[in-house]
Amino acid sequence: LLRDAYGGARPLSGSVRDHRRHVATALVEVINAIACEGPLVVGIDDTHWLDSASRALLQEVIELVPNGAVLWVFAERRSPYRWPSSFTSIPVGGLTPADSEDLLRRSLGAGSDTDLPSSVRRALEATGGNPLWIRSVALGVQRGGSPDASGGGPALDPAETLVEEARRLPTDVQDLLRYVALLGPLAK
């Protein structure tokens, strides 16, 4: 999509604002084409991680999409950025301790009768119920590491967990993720 919008692999010229507008226009065309087929929800997770250029691109896309064409859903933790007042914010906390433990046990393939080591329990409490961090704890345990940073084990890296999870996705979804990742350098 973006390759077509940019006319192939030619070098980019012009200002950052010009590039952002070009990418935003291409994304709006795609969103509008999909929205013409029926109701469309665009969900973006972890928007608190957006850098200023990505946030500016997203804001531009939102402004260019006709009102009512799309339901935008953003999931974010605490963020200093304030979305427009026309947006509705619904605070969502972490999983309950019981649900956190259930997710960890399922991720580990452990039954409810299996005792979790104290280091795993401490790491689970430190996640605050964040499912990605819980999956990171599970991945660290599965790789034989200690999930407790004070236990001398390898540090748990949520990015590594995301890569591991992405490898389980269908190939066409992985390809789409690669294309989306291209936006970062274009938006800077």
Side-chain angles (χ1 to χ4, degrees):
L1 285 174
L2 294 176
R3 182 180 61 229
D4 293 342
Y6 273 93
R10 63 185 168 81
L12 301 176
S13 60
S15 71
V16 170
R17 176 174 253 146
D18 291 340
H19 291 294
R20 187 175 63 229
R21 175 61 103 181
H22 199 71
V23 170
T25 301
L27 287 171
V28 168
E29 288 175 11
V30 170
I31 289 169
N32 285 337
I34 295 169
C36 285
E37 296 176 14
L40 177 63
V41 176
V42 175
I44 303 175
D45 194 15
D46 291 334
T47 55
H48 55 277
W49 291 114
L50 290 174
D51 60 19
S52 60
S54 300
R55 194 173 289 278
L57 172 65
L58 180 58
Q59 186 69 43
E60 191 160 347
V61 168
I62 291 167
E63 289 169 5
L64 291 171
V65 171
N67 282 340
V70 173
L71 172 62
W72 297 93
V73 178
F74 305 122
E76 66 183 16
R77 304 254 178 237
R78 290 171 224 101
S79 171
Y81 183 79
R82 296 293 171 242
W83 293 100
S85 60
S86 60
F87 284 37
T88 300
S89 177
I90 303 171
V92 178
L95 298 175
T96 66
D99 289 340
S100 295
E101 184 171 332
D102 182 57
L103 175 58
L104 179 64
R105 287 180 180 282
R106 283 187 288 122
S107 298
L108 291 171
S112 59
D113 57 339
T114 306
D115 283 334
L116 296 175
S118 61
S119 62
V120 173
R121 288 199 173 279
R122 282 192 305 273
L124 182 60
E125 288 172 17
T127 68
N130 180 320
L132 177 59
W133 282 103
I134 294 168
R135 293 283 298 135
S136 294
V137 168
L139 185 60
V141 170
Q142 288 168 337
R143 291 185 173 171
S146 168
D148 182 4
S150 64
L156 299 173
D157 182 3
E160 196 176 321
T161 303
L162 288 174
V163 169
E164 191 74 26
E165 296 287 333
R167 287 186 180 126
R168 297 179 185 163
L169 295 171
T171 305
D172 58 336
V173 175
Q174 289 182 38
D175 290 342
L176 177 63
L177 288 174
R178 286 186 195 96
Y179 292 130
V180 170
L182 293 174
L183 284 174
L186 293 175
K188 289 185 179 176

